[in-house]
Amino acid sequence: MRLAIIGLGRMGGNIARRLLSGGHEVVAYDRDPEARSNLAAAGAEVAGSLEETAIMLAPPRVFWVMLPAGAATENTISGLLELASPGDAIIDGGNTFFKDDIRRARVCGLKDVNYLDVGTSGGVWGLQRGYCLMIGGETPAVAALKPIWETLAPGLGTVPRTPDRGEADEDPRAELGYIHAGPAGAGHFVKMVHNGIEYGLMQAYAEGFDILKGRASERLPEDERFSLNLTDIAEVWRRGSVISSWLLDLSAAALAKDNMLEPFTGRVSDSGEGRWTVEAALEEAVPAHVLSAAVLARYRSRVDTTFADKLLSAMRYGFGGHVEIPQ
């Protein structure tokens, strides 16, 4: 298929590259000339503006926006809607608040433009591993873009198949690494909760390793102190433990490089999804003790940094390239 990728940062640039490697034709646009040049070298056709991007595609056109949530995405989608024709599709693959998707879908619908929200997980590793995709939008529009989803998703790969799957109400696409979650907003809602869970998992690892490190404290009785090798503990837990995971893999890699995590500031950012997940829990009257505490811990890290916060920063850098290290 031929489509435009707008926003060529860590995620957008690699999505474009994976599509190119899968045989798709990509028109790439970013305000940064260097980002455009890098994609041109990878085989993409490069546009110099949104208007030029639209001209370089034939109807029905597909515009995939991969920009930070907020004004950048909002303004870009508004600009694209002015250029779009009936039957075109606008995809937001960033981490947008799901209620904004619902509003945008209504506005796009007035022009018979398809709007899809795609929660995209995989970080900087997605180019090689593939991306887990959670898609919101109308069924015909989602179905028409099947070649894109299949190229970006990991496929069956080496992940063991879940026993007892295969019932009529189960979506076979889930095993390939993508789902049609529901109407507009559903994709980003599922991705939002995914990221909220991520906050909680990361906080659990971070606090656990902080407790391990703290056992050497001189505040404790001498015979109750242990000088524990955190690097080895992370490594052994990766092998056969019930708490093994990709996040633990990233923690082990960071500790192997520096077991005190000195390069990291520990001032942990949040990009909104954890906060929105807690807001959704409040709307639904669902207790979310762990997720709420994990969000608040990130706020606290900007005032009082701990070893746990450094491990959070190390994990975020590992999976997403989020820079919280001194430059």
Side-chain angles (χ1 to χ4, degrees):
M1 296 189 72
R2 184 174 176 84
L3 73 157
I5 302 294
I6 300 161
L8 307 175
R10 289 188 302 268
M11 290 288 285
N14 280 348
I15 283 173
R17 290 181 179 89
R18 187 169 174 91
L19 288 168
L20 286 166
S21 68
H24 298 274
E25 298 178 8
V26 173
V27 176
Y29 172 64
D30 193 290
R31 291 187 300 176
D32 181 2
E34 183 178 357
R36 296 198 300 268
S37 177
N38 289 340
L39 259 296
E45 299 174 48
V46 173
S49 66
L50 289 181
E51 292 77 9
E52 188 176 345
T53 302
I55 292 170
M56 292 173 69
L57 297 174
R61 296 169 293 185
V62 179
F63 304 98
W64 183 308
V65 179
M66 204 67 192
L67 293 167
T73 294
E74 194 70 45
N75 294 337
T76 299
I77 289 177
S78 295
L80 287 172
L81 189 55
E82 292 180 6
L83 300 167
S85 302
D88 290 349
I90 297 175
I91 302 169
D92 179 4
N95 285 323
T96 288
F97 185 43
F98 75 98
K99 294 184 181 181
D100 290 333
D101 293 311
I102 296 170
R103 168 180 53 80
R104 289 180 195 154
R106 291 197 196 103
V107 175
C108 287
L110 296 175
K111 289 192 65 173
D112 291 325
V113 172
N114 297 302
Y115 180 87
L116 298 91
D117 53 290
V118 181
T120 308
S121 183
V124 296
W125 299 87
L127 176 58
Q128 290 79 27
R129 294 166 56 127
Y131 298 91
C132 173
L133 304 174
M134 297 142 270
I135 307 162
E138 295 300 320
T139 297
V142 174
L145 300 177
K146 180 180 177 181
I148 294 174
W149 317 135
E150 290 188 336
T151 298
L152 291 175
L156 279 173
T158 60
V159 177
R161 303 189 76 169
T162 302
D164 301 323
R165 277 193 64 86
E167 298 297 328
D169 60 345
E170 292 173 344
D171 189 341
R173 295 172 292 189
E175 286 193 311
L176 302 178
Y178 73 100
I179 59 168
H180 180 198
H188 277 149
F189 184 81
V190 174
K191 176 57 162 49
M192 177 190 78
V193 177
H194 162 286
N195 282 23
I197 293 170
E198 177 186 291
Y199 278 42
L201 290 171
M202 291 172 68
Q203 189 66 30
Y205 283 123
E207 292 178 8
F209 277 94
D210 208 3
I211 294 167
L212 292 169
K213 178 178 176 291
R215 188 39 53 173
S217 172
E218 294 183 356
R219 294 193 300 269
L220 298 171
E222 187 172 358
D223 62 349
E224 295 180 10
R225 297 177 207 162
F226 306 134
S227 182
L228 299 168
N229 188 316
L230 303 187
T231 305
D232 285 350
I233 291 170
E235 187 62 31
V236 77
W237 283 353
R238 292 181 61 222
R239 303 178 183 278
S241 163
V242 296
I243 62 166
S244 59
S245 72
W246 186 27
L247 290 171
L248 183 59
D249 294 346
L250 295 171
S251 300
L255 289 164
K257 287 183 179 179
D258 184 328
N259 65 0
M260 296 304 293
L261 303 177
E262 291 296 343
F264 295 92
T265 65
R267 294 174 57 84
V268 188
S269 300
D270 75 288
S271 50
E273 300 92 336
R275 194 175 349 122
W276 299 336
T277 303
V278 173
E279 290 174 1
L282 292 171
E283 288 179 350
E284 300 165 18
V286 173
H289 309 294
V290 172
L291 274 57
S292 301
V295 173
L296 295 175
R298 295 198 177 193
Y299 296 163
R300 190 263 314 134
S301 76
R302 296 161 210 171
V303 178
D304 178 26
T305 299
T306 66
F307 181 78
D309 301 324
K310 291 187 174 187
L311 189 58
L312 287 175
S313 286
M315 283 186 272
R316 295 187 81 242
Y317 182 72
F319 67 70
H322 303 289
V323 179
E324 293 166 347
I325 56 179
Q327 299 299 303

